[in-house]
Amino acid sequence: MTQITSATNSEGPRVKTDKVREKRGCTMSEFAVNLRDRVRQAREDVRIAKRESDEDRASAVGADLANLERLAAEHGVELPEQASGDARA
């Protein structure tokens, strides 16, 4: 049986995360692995767009990357450091 816990923040109670994961059939480790992979791919896509001077694409992918990084921070998922020159658009 999965233990259901909830936490609060300045905005009030958060969703009972264990229950949500149970419904979706995804463990936290799977979530973290998938999120890290998506961040890695987004960082690579930003590098490629910049190399090809596609500023619109770099900006769009950079915004996606920012959202993924925010999501990781909200869920306590540690991300690998960016290499120098990897800044978002």
Side-chain angles (χ1 to χ4, degrees):
M1 177 175 230
T2 303
Q3 181 180 355
I4 309 266
T5 58
S6 63
T8 59
N9 58 26
S10 62
E11 298 170 1
R14 293 190 314 198
V15 174
K16 295 182 178 182
T17 55
D18 288 344
K19 190 173 185 177
V20 170
R21 271 187 246 123
E22 192 175 280
K23 285 182 180 178
R24 293 183 185 159
C26 178
T27 65
M28 188 59 176
S29 62
E30 289 172 310
F31 173 78
V33 167
N34 288 328
L35 185 57
R36 286 185 192 108
D37 187 51
R38 290 176 61 195
V39 167
R40 181 198 52 76
Q41 185 62 54
R43 287 175 176 170
E44 180 65 19
D45 290 347
V46 168
R47 278 193 295 274
I48 291 168
K50 286 183 175 184
R51 185 179 64 227
E52 294 174 354
S53 300
D54 187 346
E55 292 304 317
D56 290 336
R57 173 109 176 106
S59 179
V61 175
D64 289 342
L65 176 57
N67 286 329
L68 292 169
E69 291 172 336
R70 177 192 48 77
L71 186 63
E74 286 176 0
H75 291 278
V77 176
E78 292 184 27
L79 298 174
E81 294 293 320
Q82 290 186 9
S84 60
D86 264 358
R88 276 182 246 106

